[in-house]
Amino acid sequence: MKLGEAVGEVAFCTEGLDVGTWTSREGFRRRGRLPVETDPTNVPFSLTTWGPTRALLDRLAGTITTSNVWHVRDDTLLATADQDVFRSTNGGYSWRRVHELPASSGPMGVLPTSVCVTDDAVYLAEYPLGDDPARVLVSRDDGVTWTTFHERDDVRHFHGVYRDPYTDTLWGTTGG
């Protein structure tokens, strides 16, 4: 399980492609599933994906993280998996694809630090692994539509985007 953002005593989280909430009283409660066309955990056969080996690796290192989830406001959530960004307006019970990430994005789409919510916008830092430019996208309608906010071709990808609470300045961290 991968914890996302907490709102009060409820943490939004993912378990594979399942999205739900976690509380200390109830543990994980599934709400919905991301509608990804191909399950990123269903990879071609290799020694590391073979049942007994996979079970051992899961016990030693944990299961493969395949999705992220962020609370935007009220019942609106964003999630990424594979090359897709999804949006839910009912707390994670149903999802709609709102943006396609670069084809070279990894299994969970972007890093867990890739979304920053401000009073008037939502920012998403893409994490391409190929030759695509590194971009930070912005949505001024809580994730319905996205446009390029900032683009760089001198770095490989963005690791995250953050808001400085003292100056309202946005900071982006890059890598590669």
Side-chain angles (χ1 to χ4, degrees):
M1 179 187 333
K2 182 170 175 222
L3 292 177
E5 189 170 2
V7 179
E9 294 183 17
V10 175
F12 290 94
C13 54
T14 61
E15 193 168 68
L17 296 174
D18 290 332
V19 178
T21 57
W22 185 90
T23 63
S24 59
R25 195 171 340 140
E26 297 177 347
F28 178 71
R29 297 203 60 157
R30 182 184 180 276
R31 288 191 173 191
R33 186 169 177 83
L34 296 175
V36 174
E37 290 181 21
T38 57
D39 187 338
T41 61
N42 186 18
V43 292
F45 175 80
S46 73
L47 185 58
T48 59
T49 61
W50 179 54
T53 306
R54 182 77 253 159
L56 176 62
L57 290 173
D58 285 351
R59 279 196 299 274
L60 294 174
T63 57
I64 298 170
T65 301
T66 58
S67 57
N68 293 297
V69 64
W70 300 271
H71 179 260
V72 176
R73 50 189 119 254
D74 301 325
D75 282 339
T76 301
L77 304 174
L78 292 176
T80 58
D82 208 12
Q83 284 85 41
D84 297 310
V85 178
F86 299 97
R87 182 174 185 261
S88 172
T89 57
N90 60 6
Y93 291 100
S94 63
W95 295 88
R96 185 173 66 86
R97 184 175 167 264
V98 293
H99 179 70
E100 184 176 351
L101 296 166
S104 64
S105 299
M108 63 181 167
V110 299
L111 295 180
T113 53
S114 293
V115 170
C116 176
V117 179
T118 66
D119 290 340
D120 62 345
V122 180
Y123 299 88
L124 172 70
E126 291 183 334
Y127 193 86
L129 299 172
D131 294 331
D132 299 293
R135 299 187 311 166
V136 174
L137 306 176
V138 63
S139 173
R140 302 211 183 272
D141 53 13
D142 288 344
V144 176
T145 58
W146 297 91
T147 58
T148 299
F149 176 75
H150 184 70
E151 184 174 302
R152 293 187 59 176
D153 58 7
D154 61 334
V155 296
R156 189 168 181 193
H157 42 244
F158 278 93
H159 286 189
V161 60
Y162 310 89
R163 179 185 143 290
D164 182 330
Y166 302 105
T167 64
D168 278 338
T169 303
L170 285 180
W171 290 88
T173 56
T174 62

